[in-house]
Each structure stands twice: as structure tokens, then as C-alpha cells.
């Protein structure tokens, strides 16, 4: 293709784009000569924020001439820098640890910001709170519900106020720092007397993962102080946030009692808390919707006259999902008994998500340059298990998001569960009934553990392993049906 042809084609494409609604807006912007408005995010630290990306997309699709960047401000510099940013920028978002600290620096507050004592958006020297707009847009059921609120920081405050305003029947606040939880309860219980409010005193360090990688499941329900179970769980703590995806703030038993879980975390898209809920058919929502809605609300405050009809919430949500998977690698690790479909489902899942796939059994074969039955025969099962662990580690160390199919015995060793869990791996248990397993494995000579075994022996081995599969799994699903359906259900659980 020669240069002239290429230029002519690019010009044509450009002109076509300029004829579109968005193009016209962009053209106006490009030819107006106006200096772009300056927006940003202030906080410390700001390591993994998605806000610059989100705001750029919203501004681009709405024809807003603006830039949005991160301002990481150390606590010692905050007072000086805040004044300068208020004067210099056209508007900014503010996040931890400054949502309260910014208030004395501002001339006025919106009704919501004053009520919560927390600001996340600043415009013309006035503080707003669009976190609440974002949370309200998520439609979490709160009226007449018994709500357990995890956390007592800025985000918890917003969720608490909304629960109180919506008329929750009771709110138990659980924070690792009980003094902070008490302060939050103290501040709001006088204002909302119809709602019973108390500190939930779950014992133990719920976020901890034990040596065996997450077998520690957080505190058990017998530890909750509330005599009645909770209907709704709201997580406003960072437990489970990437890169510490192994964290889970509650035991599965408490989660199972609820009917709805909302997690403010959006990275990963589904935390272990969200997966545990979905695994037990408890409705669960991640923080992605709240994040997007608060960003749109902030842009509306900064650019009240802009026409935002060109902006598609769903498109941006989809773009963010892809971006999260690319920039913040996680591993979806499939487990289950021989014949449960780990490899078939794994390949199909990786293809539909557009990410890589690794099969641990194949890696073992490659590593040892011989088939699995030969390894068992010549080197013994203990050798095979060492090689298996080594390959699991190798797969987990790969720097991209991937789907990984393990052999049926992999998660029976808690050390392997630890390796998976502590490397941003989420375990999916493909549960099948023994009938399906017999149908699928047939007389497969490639599985040394089955050689010379009766159906009863095999069923016994499965029975014996079942509790370990369940204990290791972040998400369990019935996998007897169609591959496409299983893939859809796993995608939905992970928020895709
Ligand atoms: C094994 C399962 C096999 C393979 C090896 C041991 C097991 O993988 O890793 O034969 O202990 O269950 P599949 O589950 O893919 O058959």
C-alpha cells in the first residue's frame, strides 16, 4: 500500500468519523482552541486506580475537552497541596485517606457530603459526595433488612447512611478496629432511632489466610453477636482487593445466611466474598457499578451543560472488565474429579474470555517427557505429586490472566491450594455425579489411579475427596451439563 493511498484512506476515515455525532463534537473541540479543563484524583497511595481511564472514556464519548490525572499527595503535604489543587483544577475526586480531611479546606458542602461528613468530589470550592449516588444506583435491597456492614471508614459511612435512610431494620457494624466501629455507631444511632444499631463483634482476624492457603475461612457464625442472622452483607473494607485476592472477610456460614451481598471492591471483579455468595445462590454485586456511577455523577457536576448522551454505561463497563483482566492478572483454576470436564471446560472458558490456558497434566508430561502412566510406573506417585506441585507453581507464576485446568488430585494437597490462593488464583470446583464420571472416563488407560479399580473403588475415592474439593473451592457448580452452559455460569460468577 503506497503512502498516498494510505493518507487518502486515513483522511476519508477521519472525515467519516467527523460526520458522526461524536465526531462533530470532537471536531468542535479540536477547532475551538480552548484549553482543556483539568480534573484529577487526589489520594495516597493511588497505585491501582482506574479513575483516569474511566474519566477519559466518559469525557471522550461526551465530547468534554478535559484531562484527568492522578495526584498522589503524601499526608505531610496534604494541607498545602489541597489549597493549590482547589484553586488550580476545574474539579477533582478525592479518595482515601482524605475524604474527611478535605472538608475544612472547602467553602461549602452539598447536603449529602455534609450528612456523611465525607467528600469524594470537589467543584468550585464545594465538596460533594457522589459515592452515595453510585451506591444508590446499584439498587441494593435495604428496607426492613438486617444489614451487616463490614468496615468503618469513609466508604462504610456512606453505605451505613444509605441503609439507615432506606429504613433498614437493624445494622451491625463490624470493623477490625472496634473503637472505629463504635464511633460510627455512636454518630448515627441518635439520628436514626427506628433502626437498631450495634457493633458486631466477630472474633478473630477474618482476613487471615492460614499456612495452607485459605482453608481458614474466617470466623464461624457462632461468633456473631447478633442473635439473628443478617439478610444483607455490605463490604466496605479492602479485604480481598487485588493483589491480595486471597482475603475473605467472613465465613461461608455467615454468607450463606444472607440473601444479598454487596462488595465495594471492583478489582477483582468478583472477590472471594462475591464468589462464595454466588456459589451458594446468594445474590451478589461487585463495586464496579458503584464506581462507574460515581464517576458519571462527578462529571455531571463538573460539566453541567455537557450532553452525555453519547456515553454508553454498558460499553464502558465491558471495556473495564477487559482492562481489569489484562492489567490485573488473576487465574481461574478448575478442579474436580477425573472426568469432570476440567480440560474441556477450561479450553472453552479461556477462549471465550480471550485469555491463555494451561493444563497442569500436560505441563507434567512435558516437564518429564513421558506420559502420566509411565511417570507413575517408573517414578512413583510421590514423584508425580512433586512434579505436579512444581507445575502448579510455574503456571501460577505466569504473568497474565489465565484459565488453568488441574489434575483431579491437585487440590487434595492443601499446600497446592495455598500456592493457588496466594498467587491470585480462584478455585472453581466442577461437581459432577458419579454416573457422569463413569460415562466420561470409560476405560481410559491414561489414568493410572483407575487401573484395576472397580467402579465402587472409584466412587469411594471420589466420596473421600469430596470434602476437600468443597473446602478448596471459591465457587462450586454442577457440571454435568453442556460445556457452553457451564462456561456461561462460570463467566457470570466471575462477573463477565
Ligand atoms: C489424578 C488425575 C489425573 C492426573 C493423574 C492423577 C488424580 O488428572 O493428574 O492421573 O489424582 O485424580 P485428571 O483429573 O485430569 O484425569
Amino acid at each position: 500500500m503506497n503512502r498516498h493511498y494510505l493518507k487518502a484512506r486515513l483522511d476519508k476515515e477521519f472525515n467519516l468519523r467527523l460526520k458522526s455525532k461524536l465526531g462533530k463534537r470532537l471536531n468542535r473541540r479540536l477547532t475551538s482552541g480552548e484549553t482543556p479543563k483539568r480534573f484529577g484524583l487526589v489520594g495516597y497511595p493511588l497505585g491501582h486506580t482506574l479513575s483516569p481511564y474511566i474519566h477519559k472514556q466518559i469525557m471522550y464519548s461526551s465530547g468534554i475537552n478535559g484531562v484527568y490525572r492522578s495526584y498522589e499527595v503524601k499526608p505531610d503535604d496534604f494541607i498545602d497541596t489541597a489549597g493549590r489543587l482547589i484553586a488550580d483544577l476545574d474539579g477533582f475526586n478525592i479518595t482515601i485517606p482524605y475524604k474527611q480531611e478535605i472538608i475544612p479546606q472547602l467553602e461549602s458542602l452539598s447536603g449529602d457530603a455534609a450528612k456523611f461528613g465525607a467528600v469524594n468530589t470537589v467543584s468550585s470550592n464545594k465538596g460533594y459526595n457522589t459515592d452515595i449516588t453510585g451506591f444508590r444506583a446499584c439498587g441494593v435491597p435495604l428496607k426492613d433488612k438486617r444489614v451487616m456492614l463490614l468496615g468503618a471508614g469513609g466508604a462504610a459511612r456512606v453505605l451505613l447512611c444509605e441503609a439507615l435512610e432506606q429504613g433498614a431494620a437493624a445494622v451491625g457494624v463490624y470493623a477490625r478496629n472496634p473503637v472505629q466501629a463504635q464511633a460510627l455507631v455512636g454518630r448515627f444511632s441518635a439520628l436514626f432511632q427506628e433502626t437498631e444499631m450495634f457493633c458486631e463483634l466477630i472474633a478473630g482476624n477474618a482476613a487471615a489466610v492460614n499456612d495452607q492457603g485459605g482453608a481458614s475461612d474466617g470466623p464461624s457464625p457462632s461468633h456473631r453477636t447478633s442473635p439473628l442472622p443478617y439478610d444483607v452483607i455490605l463490604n466496605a473494607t479492602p479485604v480481598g482487593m487485588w493483589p491480595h485476592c486471597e482475603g475473605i472477610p467472613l465465613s461461608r456460614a455467615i454468607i450463606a445466611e444472607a440473601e444479598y451481598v454487596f462488595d465495594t471492591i471492583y478489582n477483582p471483579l468478583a472477590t472471594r466474598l462475591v464468589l462464595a455468595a454466588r456459589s451458594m445462590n446468594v445474590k451478589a454485586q461487585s463495586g464496579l457499578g458503584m464506581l462507574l456511577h460515581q464517576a458519571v455523577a462527578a462529571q455531571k457536576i463538573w460539566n453541567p451543560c455537557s450532553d452525555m448522551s453519547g456515553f454508553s454505561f454498558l460499553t464502558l463497563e465491558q471495556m473495564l472488565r477487559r482492562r481489569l483482566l489484562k492489567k490485573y492478572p488473576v487465574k481461574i483454576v478448575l478442579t474436580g474429579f477425573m472426568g469432570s470436564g476440567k480440560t474441556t471446560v477450561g479450553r472453552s472458558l479461556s477462549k471465550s474470555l480471550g485469555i491463555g490456558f494451561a493444563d497442569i497434566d500436560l505441563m507434567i508430561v512435558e516437564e518429564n517427557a513421558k506420559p502420566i502412566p509411565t511417570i507413575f510406573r517408573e517414578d512413583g506417585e510421590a514423584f508425580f505429586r512433586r512434579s505436579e506441585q512444581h507445575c502448579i507453581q510455574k503456571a501460577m507464576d505466569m504473568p497474565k490472566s489465565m484459565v488453568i485446568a488441574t489434575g483431579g488430585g491437585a487440590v487434595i494437597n492443601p499446600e497446592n491450594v495455598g500456592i493457588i490462593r496466594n498467587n491470585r488464583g480462584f478455585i472453581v470446583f466442577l461437581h459432577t455425579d458419579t454416573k457422569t464420571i463413569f460415562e466420561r472416563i470409560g476405560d481410559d488407560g491414561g489414568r493410572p489411579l483407575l487401573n484395576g479399580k472397580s467402579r465402587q473403588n472409584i466412587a469411594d475415592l471420589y466420596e473421600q475427596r469430596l470434602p476437600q474439593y468443597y473446602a478448596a473451592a471459591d465457587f462450586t457448580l454442577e457440571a454435568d451439563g453442556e460445556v457452553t452452559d457451564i462456561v456461561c455460569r462460570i463467566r457470570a460468577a466471575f462477573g463477565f
Side-chain angles (χ1 to χ4, degrees), residues 145-348:
K145 303 292 181 193
R146 295 183 59 82
V147 177
M148 183 198 265
L149 173 64
L150 308 175
R157 203 181 264 237
V158 167
L159 270 49
L160 173 63
C161 283
E162 186 58 8
L164 295 170
E165 287 208 330
Q166 291 284 321
V171 181
V173 179
Y174 167 57
R176 267 186 281 175
N177 179 347
V179 177
Q180 227 183 329
Q182 194 55 61
L184 197 59
V185 170
R187 180 179 165 140
F188 289 100
S189 50
L191 300 174
F192 291 88
Q193 290 177 353
E194 308 81 65
T195 304
E196 184 195 350
M197 270 179 82
F198 50 89
C199 283
E200 176 57 63
L201 295 172
I202 300 170
N205 180 357
V209 175
N210 73 11
D211 299 343
Q212 297 175 346
S216 135
D217 217 6
S220 73
S222 56
H223 288 84
R224 73 171 142 68
T225 27
S226 157
L228 294 171
Y230 292 97
D231 307 311
V232 177
I233 295 167
L234 307 175
N235 180 36
T237 76
V239 177
M241 194 192 287
W242 198 96
H244 301 293
C245 305
E246 71 281 1
I248 181 161
L250 288 176
S251 70
R252 286 185 221 188
I254 295 186
I255 302 166
E257 292 173 337
E259 62 189 54
Y260 203 100
V261 168
F262 178 82
D263 197 336
T264 52
I265 297 175
Y266 53 83
N267 184 14
L269 261 181
T271 54
R272 289 189 68 206
L273 170 65
V274 166
L275 285 172
R278 289 182 177 153
S279 201
M280 297 181 293
N281 292 321
V282 174
K283 278 201 182 130
Q285 189 179 165
S286 90
L288 190 67
M290 179 175 170
L291 177 78
L292 284 181
H293 283 294
Q294 66 76 31
V296 173
Q299 283 290 344
K300 284 185 178 159
I301 291 172
W302 297 329
N303 303 291
C305 301
S306 289
D307 166 16
M308 294 181 74
S309 58
F311 164 70
S312 157
F313 192 91
L314 292 179
T315 308
L316 180 54
E317 206 172 21
Q318 190 55 23
M319 283 161 79
L320 277 170
R321 289 191 184 115
R322 296 253 150 245
R323 191 175 171 84
L324 283 168
L325 209 51
K326 199 164 166 214
K327 289 202 71 175
Y328 306 98
V330 291
K331 307 281 193 291
I332 301 178
V333 181
L334 305 185
T335 189
F337 200 62
M338 294 171 259
S340 58
K342 303 177 290 287
T343 304
T344 318
V345 171
R347 274 191 214 289
S348 172

Side-chain angles (χ1 to χ4, degrees), residues 59-224:
M59 289 191 292
Y60 181 78
S61 56
S62 309
I64 295 167
N65 183 14
V67 290
Y68 187 105
R69 52 166 286 219
S70 298
Y71 296 88
E72 198 162 47
V73 180
K74 293 210 173 99
D76 285 348
D77 303 332
F78 179 67
I79 303 288
D80 291 345
T81 317
R84 204 159 37 75
L85 291 173
I86 294 170
D88 289 357
L89 298 184
D90 293 284
F92 59 92
N93 289 126
I94 188 140
T95 185
I96 38 173
Y98 305 130
K99 287 187 177 185
Q100 277 122 290
E101 277 78 350
I102 188 73
I103 291 175
Q105 314 298 319
L106 298 167
E107 269 172 14
S108 60
L109 295 179
S110 72
D112 278 342
K115 193 161 48 189
F116 309 140
V119 162
N120 82 320
T121 301
V122 174
S123 178
S124 308
N125 222 324
K126 182 170 177 182
Y128 298 81
N129 195 306
T130 66
D131 286 334
I132 190 69
T133 323
F135 181 55
R136 276 180 197 141
C138 292
V140 178
L142 295 163
K143 189 170 167 36
D144 299 327
K145 303 292 181 193
R146 295 183 59 82
V147 177
M148 183 198 265
L149 173 64
L150 308 175
R157 203 181 264 237
V158 167
L159 270 49
L160 173 63
C161 283
E162 186 58 8
L164 295 170
E165 287 208 330
Q166 291 284 321
V171 181
V173 179
Y174 167 57
R176 267 186 281 175
N177 179 347
V179 177
Q180 227 183 329
Q182 194 55 61
L184 197 59
V185 170
R187 180 179 165 140
F188 289 100
S189 50
L191 300 174
F192 291 88
Q193 290 177 353
E194 308 81 65
T195 304
E196 184 195 350
M197 270 179 82
F198 50 89
C199 283
E200 176 57 63
L201 295 172
I202 300 170
N205 180 357
V209 175
N210 73 11
D211 299 343
Q212 297 175 346
S216 135
D217 217 6
S220 73
S222 56
H223 288 84
R224 73 171 142 68

Side-chain angles (χ1 to χ4, degrees), residues 449-463:
L449 286 185
L450 303 181
N451 288 346
K453 298 276 170 27
S454 69
R455 286 200 161 199
Q456 190 55 50
N457 294 150
I458 296 169
D460 289 347
L461 179 63
Y462 187 32
E463 197 65 28

Side-chain angles (χ1 to χ4, degrees), residues 331-335 396 402 404 406 420 425-429:
K331 307 281 193 291
I332 301 178
V333 181
L334 305 185
T335 189
M396 296 308 296
M402 290 179 72
I404 296 172
T406 58
I420 296 168
F426 296 93
I427 300 176
V428 175
F429 171 33

Side-chain angles (χ1 to χ4, degrees), residues 338 342 361 372 376 384-385 388 407-409 447-449 465:
M338 294 171 259
K342 303 177 290 287
D361 278 353
I372 290 178
F376 267 74
F384 171 84
R385 295 297 172 198
E388 180 176 57
R447 292 184 165 102
L449 286 185
R465 282 179 173 183

Side-chain angles (χ1 to χ4, degrees), residues 17-32 34 57-65 305-312:
R17 239 185 287 147
L18 289 186
K19 278 189 193 141
S20 70
K21 202 172 161 197
L22 170 63
K24 277 185 197 148
R25 247 186 267 150
L26 279 176
N27 193 23
R28 232 178 286 137
R29 189 178 106 182
L30 293 171
T31 50
S32 69
E34 281 168 25
Q57 299 300 332
I58 301 173
M59 289 191 292
Y60 181 78
S61 56
S62 309
I64 295 167
N65 183 14
C305 301
S306 289
D307 166 16
M308 294 181 74
S309 58
F311 164 70
S312 157

